[in-house]
Amino acid sequence: MKKVKSILWILLAIFLLIQFFRPARNQAAQSSSNDIAEKYQVPMNILMDLNTACYDCHSNYTHYPWYFHIQPVGWWMNGHIQEGKHHLNFSEFAKYSPDVARKKFHDMYEVMRDHTMPIPSYLWMHKEARLTDEQYKQVAEWALQMSRNPQLITDSTN
């Protein structure tokens, strides 16, 4: 029994110690001039859906829940955010070359068509990020259209 108590005290000490090692926050100081909506035609309903369901992990503007401050949960979340931004960053989308942007739009189409984003572990705690079938369809259709013929802000609509 004494050994179990010692192990529990050590685990508690480790848990308390790791609280001092927190990941950097993913919160840019100002809006990015490279945001997807700054270069590409993004209908307001699509932009709202992206903002609600995608921007926490795929932009430079994460809204953090209270449990982010508890380690190792914060480290786990930070890993998801960094991985998400590596694959697609809406805040830096205007920096992508035209070919890369088309590929990103096509990838967006596929994950919306297949309902594979947002990931289930994100949706457990973020019910507001759940998209309806209609929202998935609208974002998928827009992304597919953009992958074929990206409409730039300076372009005139047909």
Side-chain angles (χ1 to χ4, degrees):
M1 186 67 163
K2 189 174 182 181
K3 195 173 194 175
V4 172
K5 266 188 172 179
S6 295
I7 291 171
L8 290 175
W9 279 111
I10 290 170
L11 290 175
L12 178 62
I14 291 170
F15 177 76
L16 292 174
L17 184 63
I18 66 174
Q19 300 314 305
F20 293 102
F21 301 95
R22 298 173 185 237
R25 288 174 159 259
N26 180 46
Q27 292 178 320
Q30 58 188 7
S31 298
S32 174
S33 61
N34 295 311
D35 192 88
I36 190 171
E38 296 294 325
K39 182 174 181 180
Y40 295 96
Q41 298 272 344
V42 185
M44 185 54 71
N45 64 317
I46 301 297
L47 186 59
M48 296 303 293
D49 290 342
L50 295 177
N51 195 299
T52 301
C54 309
Y55 266 58
D56 272 352
C57 295
H58 294 282
S59 79
N60 297 338
Y61 311 103
T62 300
H63 295 99
Y64 289 97
W66 63 269
Y67 49 84
F68 172 78
H69 302 288
I70 300 171
Q71 305 314 316
V73 175
W75 299 336
W76 177 71
M77 287 177 60
N78 188 58
H80 277 278
I81 293 164
Q82 295 309 315
E83 183 179 350
K85 286 174 58 175
H86 173 75
H87 291 288
L88 172 66
N89 188 340
F90 290 113
S91 297
E92 305 298 330
F93 203 94
K95 289 183 177 179
Y96 296 144
S97 70
D99 289 338
V100 170
R102 281 187 187 89
K103 171 87 171 85
K104 299 287 184 189
F105 280 123
H106 192 268
D107 292 348
M108 201 183 322
Y109 159 71
E110 288 178 341
V111 299
M112 291 292 115
R113 176 197 65 201
D114 299 340
H115 295 207
T116 55
M117 282 287 168
I119 59 174
S121 62
Y122 181 77
L123 293 174
W124 294 339
M125 297 299 288
H126 298 89
K127 305 269 188 247
E128 72 282 0
R130 292 183 191 277
L131 298 174
T132 65
D133 288 342
E134 184 61 27
Q135 288 170 309
Y136 273 114
K137 181 181 175 194
Q138 289 174 353
V139 174
E141 288 173 354
W142 169 78
L144 181 61
Q145 174 189 347
M146 295 298 281
S147 73
R148 293 176 176 162
N149 183 23
Q151 294 294 307
L152 302 174
I153 293 289
T154 57
D155 286 355
S156 60
T157 54
N158 296 334

